[in-house]
């Protein structure tokens, strides 16, 4: 990266540069080919970033006019705090930008957004096999010890 890294809110004009990152993120988690997200899911996800009534937000990392990473986060109420918690829903860095501080910068930007919103905590999950990401996460957060259960309906 020859220019300084900039973390900023996504804009409508970013769609064509955001989409390959989004596709890469989904492919990383096995959502491609026959198991790809339906196009309407991507369309609705994108539209939520620009809807003031949605608690969903998107950041991108940019250098030299190229988008190198994305972070999507949302705020939600909980029964254990008055202020909403911040859930880092998606985090992805382009292959060529890995190990260069892009992921950390995106996480720090989400922390800043959560602080500004008065949120007492940011949390996220990753797959147990994602050891590379966990090496970073162990430096910027603490493991909660919780195990995630889910059931498709």
């Amino acid at each position: 990266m020859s220019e300084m890294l900039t973390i900023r809110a996504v804009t409508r004009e970013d769609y064509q540069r955001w989409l390959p990152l989004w596709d890469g993120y989904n492919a990383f988690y096995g959502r491609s080919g026959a198991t790809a997200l339906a196009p309407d899911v991507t369309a609705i996800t994108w539209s939520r970033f620009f809807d003031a009534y949605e608690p969903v937000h998107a950041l991108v990392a940019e250098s030299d006019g190229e988008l190198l990473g994305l972070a999507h986060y949302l705020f939600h109420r909980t029964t254990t705090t008055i202020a909403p918690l911040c859930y880092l829903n998606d985090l992805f860095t382009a292959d060529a930008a890995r190990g260069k501080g892009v992921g950390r910068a995106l996480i720090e930007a989400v922390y800043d957004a959560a602080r500004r919103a008065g949120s007492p905590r940011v949390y996220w999950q990753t797959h147990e096999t994602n050891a590379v990401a966990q090496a970073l996460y162990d430096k910027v957060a603490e493991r909660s010890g919780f195990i995630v259960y889910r059931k498709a309906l």
Side-chain angles (χ1 to χ4, degrees):
M1 292 181 292
S2 62
E3 273 187 30
M4 182 181 284
L5 183 67
T6 301
I7 307 297
R8 61 173 177 78
V10 73
T11 67
R12 292 182 191 276
E13 293 75 27
D14 290 325
Y15 183 77
Q16 292 303 323
R17 297 183 302 149
W18 167 87
L19 187 58
L21 293 169
W22 176 241
D23 289 343
Y25 172 77
N26 285 299
F28 180 83
Y29 281 108
R31 294 184 296 261
S32 61
T35 60
L37 291 180
D40 60 332
V41 173
T42 293
I44 292 295
T45 296
W46 180 255
S47 72
R48 286 176 175 159
F49 302 146
F50 307 101
D51 184 340
Y53 292 103
E54 288 282 352
V56 182
H57 307 276
L59 299 172
V60 289
E62 183 176 33
S63 181
D64 289 332
E66 182 180 357
L67 296 189
L68 303 176
L70 60 76
H72 304 149
Y73 62 98
L74 58 95
F75 294 101
H76 68 87
R77 297 183 193 282
T78 181
T79 59
T80 59
T81 66
I82 295 171
L85 297 183
C86 181
Y87 178 62
L88 175 53
N89 202 102
D90 311 313
L91 179 69
F92 183 75
T93 300
D95 287 343
R98 296 228 171 105
K100 298 180 180 175
V102 175
R104 180 186 293 261
L106 285 162
I107 291 169
E108 291 295 337
V110 171
Y111 288 169
D112 289 342
R115 282 186 202 99
R116 286 191 307 274
S119 181
R121 181 169 57 240
V122 175
Y123 73 102
W124 63 93
Q125 31 183 0
T126 192
H127 196 272
E128 63 188 10
T129 61
N130 194 354
V132 172
Q134 289 176 53
L136 168 62
Y137 301 162
D138 287 343
K139 293 174 186 167
V140 300
E142 61 185 43
R143 290 184 189 222
S144 68
F146 282 87
I147 299 171
V148 176
Y149 290 86
R150 68 180 184 189
K151 177 168 178 48
L153 302 176

